[in-house]
C-alpha cells in the first residue's frame, strides 16, 4: 500500500508541476502570485526530503518545468513533506496544503513569504485538477475555471519538459 | 474545544520562574557544562544595571569583558549575528546567554544557528526546520514580558541591507533554559507594560483559534489568558508590584509556548504588515487590530466555541455562567475590548490605526504583505484580500 501511495504521490506531483505551467497563462490569480517571486527563481517540490524533486523556474514572468531531479542545485525554495504519507494526504485531497503546513508536516527551505506564494499557487492548481465540489473545499470560495479539467490534464501530460542545467 | 486529527507539540525549554530565579544560574550553567559563555545584551540594560544583576549571580565563572556584547540593536540583523558569531569562535565560547527583549533573543538564536550549523551565510538556513546540527547551550533571560521569544521556535533577522526580514522556524532554536525573574523587567513603564501585555494577549487568543490549535497549546493559552485577565490592568497601575509582574511574565511565557506550537493568525499577519509597511509599533498595531480580528473570526464555528473558553478565562466563571451560551463568543470579544479600553484610559494605548500613523493609501501594500505572512495560513478559514481590507477599514 505504501508503494502504491508513493507512485500516486509522484504522479500527482508531476501533474501539478505540469499543470502549473499551463495555468500560468490562463489564471490571473496564479499570474499575480508568480509576479511576487523574483526573476530566475527556482523552486523544487518533493514528496519527501530524499525523494526526487520536481523543479520549476521562473523566467521572464513565465514558468518552466524541468521535470524530476535528485538533489537539485541552485534552488531558492524547497518544499517537501516530513513523510510520504503526509504528502499522500495532501496530494489525494484528503487534507488541504495549508492545514498540512499548520500541522508542521511541510518543510520549507527558503524565504517563507515566497513559500506562502507557492502554497497559494499549489492550492489553485489542486483546485483545477479536482472536481468542482472538492475544489470549493480546497479554496473555500466559489471557484471559476479558466480551463476544463480534461483539457488541463491532457495538455499537462503532453507538456514539453525543459532540459539542461537549472 | 476543537480536537485535531493530528498535532505536534514541542516545548523542551526548562523554565526557572520566580523572585529568586537568577539564584539558580550557577547551578544551571554547571548542568549545561558552560564555563565560557557569550553574553548578548544592549547598552540600555547595562546602564540600568540589569546586566550587573545578572553578573552578580554568575559567581562561579570568570567573565572576560569581551565575552559581553552590549551593542545589540533594537532589530536583529545579519551583521550583528556575524560579529557575535565571530566573537564566539574567537573566544572559544561554550554557550550563549541572551539578556534582553526579542531583538537580543533573536540575535542569540542567529548566533546559535551560525555556530551549530557551522555556516557563514545564515541566509542559507531561512525557512522551516532547516537546522540539523547539535545546538550550543543557550540561556535566555527576558527583560520584557510579552514577546514569548524565550519559548518560541522562531527568529526574525534583517538582511544586511535591512530591506528584508529573514524568518527562521525550527525546534532547534528553542533555548535550553529560560530564567524569568521579575527583577529583570521592573524598569518597564506603564505604557510599555500595557503594550507588551497586549502582545501576550494576542498570542494567547490566536493560539486558541489557529488551524493547529490542540489540547496542549490550549492549556497554555487558557492559563495565560487567565493570568492576563487577572493581572494586566492591575500591573499597569502598579508597575513595581513583584507578584503582578511575575504573573504577567509567566503569562507571556505560556502564551509564547502556545503560539509557538499553534502559531499566530490573521491579527499577527496584519499587525506585522502594518509594522513593516507603515513602520508603526508592533504592540500598538496588535492592540488596535485585536478586537477587529476577533470579530472577523466570529464567523467560524470553531472560533466561536473557542471564544467561549476565552470569556471564561478573561472574565471568570460568574460572568461565563450568567451569559447565554450563544452570546459567549461575542462577550469574549467584549471582554477583550474592556481590557483594551481600560489600558487606553490608564496609558493611552491606541484604538485606531490612523492614530498610530497607518495611512489608508498604504492598505494595498499592507494587504500584500499580510497575505504573504505564513501566520495567515494558520488562521481560521481561507483569509482573502477582501477580508484583510475589511479588518483594516474597521480598525482605521
Amino acid at each position: 500500500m505504501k508503494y502504491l501511495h508513493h507512485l500516486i504521490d509522484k504522479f500527482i506531483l508531476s501533474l501539478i508541476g505540469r499543470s502549473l505551467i499551463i495555468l500560468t497563462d490562463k489564471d490571473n490569480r496564479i499570474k499575480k502570485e508568480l509576479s511576487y517571486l523574483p526573476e530566475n527563481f527556482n523552486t523544487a517540490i518533493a514528496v519527501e526530503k530524499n525523494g526526487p524533486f520536481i523543479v520549476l523556474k521562473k523566467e521572464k514572468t513565465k514558468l518552466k518545468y524541468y521535470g524530476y531531479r535528485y538533489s537539485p542545485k541552485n534552488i531558492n525554495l524547497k518544499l517537501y513533506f516530513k513523510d510520504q504519507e503526509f504528502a499522500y494526504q495532501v496530494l489525494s485531497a484528503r487534507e488541504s496544503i495549508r492545514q498540512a503546513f499548520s500541522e508542521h508536516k511541510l518543510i520549507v527551505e527558503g524565504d517563507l513569504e515566497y513559500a506562502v506564494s507557492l502554497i497559494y499557487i499549489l492550492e489553485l492548481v489542486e483546485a483545477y485538477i479536482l472536481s468542482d465540489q472538492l475544489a470549493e473545499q480546497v479554496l473555500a470560495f466559489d471557484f471559476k475555471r479558466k480551463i476544463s479539467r480534461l483539457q488541463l490534464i491532457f495538455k499537462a501530460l503532453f507538456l514539453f519538459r525543459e532540459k539542461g542545467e537549472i | 474545544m476543537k480536537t485535531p486529527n493530528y498535532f505536534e507539540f514541542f516545548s523542551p525549554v526548562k523554565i526557572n520562574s520566580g523572585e529568586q530565579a537568577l539564584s539558580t544560574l550557577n547551578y544551571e550553567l554547571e548542568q549545561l557544562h558552560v564555563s565560557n559563555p557569550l553574553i548578548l545584551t544592549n547598552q540600555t540594560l547595562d546602564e540600568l544595571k540589569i546586566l550587573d544583576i545578572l553578573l552578580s549571580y554568575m559567581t562561579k565563572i570568570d567573565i572576560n569583558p569581551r565575552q559581553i556584547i552590549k551593542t545589540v540593536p533594537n532589530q536583529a540583523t545579519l551583521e550583528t549575528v556575524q560579529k557575535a558569531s565571530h566573537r564566539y569562535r574567537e573566544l572559544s565560547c561554550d554557550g550563549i546567554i541572551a539578556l534582553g527583549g526579542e531583538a537580543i533573543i533573536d540575535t542569540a538564536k542567529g548566533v546559535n544557528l551560525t555556530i551549530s550549523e557551522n555556516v557563514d551565510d545564515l541566509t542559507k538556513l531561512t525557512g522551516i526546520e532547516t537546522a540539523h546540527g547539535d545546538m550550543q547551550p543557550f540561556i535566555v533571560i527576558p527583560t520584557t514580558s510579552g514577546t514569548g521569544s524565550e519559548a518560541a521556535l522562531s527568529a526574525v533577522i534583517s538582511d544586511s541591507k535591512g530591506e528584508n526580514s529573514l524568518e527562521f522556524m525550527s525546534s532547534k532554536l528553542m533555548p535550553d533554559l529560560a530564567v524569568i525573574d521579575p527583577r529583570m523587567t521592573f524598569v518597564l513603564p506603564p505604557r510599555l507594560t500595557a503594550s507588551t501585555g497586549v502582545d501576550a494577549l494576542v498570542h494567547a487568543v490566536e493560539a486558541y483559534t489557529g488551524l493547529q490549535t490542540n489540547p496542549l497549546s490550549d492549556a497554555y493559552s487558557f492559563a495565560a489568558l487567565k493570568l492576563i485577565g487577572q493581572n494586566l490592568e492591575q500591573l499597569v497601575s502598579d508597575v513595581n508590584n513583584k507578584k503582578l509582574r511575575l504573573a504577567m511574565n509567566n503569562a507571556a511565557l505560556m502564551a509564547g509556548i502556545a503560539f509557538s506550537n499553534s502559531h499566530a493568525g490573521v491579527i499577527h499577519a496584519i499587525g506585522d504588515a502594518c509594522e513593516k509597511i507603515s513602520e508603526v509599533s508592533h504592540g500598538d498595531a496588535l492592540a488596535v487590530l485585536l478586537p477587529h480580528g476577533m470579530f472577523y473570526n466570529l464567523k467560524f464555528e470553531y472560533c466561536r466555541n473557542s471564544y467561549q473558553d476565552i470569556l471564561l478565562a478573561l472574565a471568570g466563571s460568574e460572568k461565563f455562567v450568567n451569559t447565554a451560551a450563544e452570546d459567549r463568543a461575542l462577550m469574549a470579544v467584549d471582554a477583550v475590548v474592556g481590557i483594551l479600553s481600560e489600558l487606553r484610559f490608564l496609558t493611552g494605548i491606541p484604538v485606531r490605526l490612523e492614530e498610530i500613523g497607518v495611512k489608508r493609501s498604504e492598505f494595498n501594500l499592507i494587504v500584500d504583505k499580510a497575505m504573504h505572512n505564513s501566520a495567515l495560513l494558520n488562521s481560521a478559514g481561507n483569509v482573502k484580500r477582501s477580508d484583510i481590507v475589511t479588518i483594516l477599514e474597521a480598525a482605521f
Side-chain angles (χ1 to χ4, degrees), chain A residues 76-92:
Chain A
N76 302 100
L77 178 68
K78 267 187 188 177
L79 244 68
Y80 53 89
F81 293 86
K82 277 185 181 168
D83 186 82
Q84 63 177 22
E85 277 305 310
F86 289 157
Y88 179 72
Q89 294 296 316
V90 170
L91 297 172
S92 60

Side-chain angles (χ1 to χ4, degrees), chain A residues 28-95:
Chain A
N28 285 334
R29 289 162 297 188
I30 293 179
K31 270 187 199 163
K32 188 173 167 56
E33 281 307 327
L34 269 183
S35 69
Y36 202 77
L37 304 177
E39 191 58 21
N40 296 319
F41 190 82
N42 295 324
T43 305
I45 310 167
V47 166
E48 58 183 341
K49 188 178 182 178
N50 299 320
F53 286 79
I54 57 162
V55 176
L56 304 161
K57 181 174 188 173
K58 183 187 167 187
E59 264 182 26
K60 294 175 187 161
T61 73
K62 296 260 181 194
L63 262 189
K64 288 187 175 175
Y65 177 68
Y66 279 82
Y68 273 106
R69 304 275 171 110
Y70 279 93
S71 309
K73 299 278 185 288
N74 302 321
I75 299 297
N76 302 100
L77 178 68
K78 267 187 188 177
L79 244 68
Y80 53 89
F81 293 86
K82 277 185 181 168
D83 186 82
Q84 63 177 22
E85 277 305 310
F86 289 157
Y88 179 72
Q89 294 296 316
V90 170
L91 297 172
S92 60
R94 285 170 167 79
E95 181 175 53

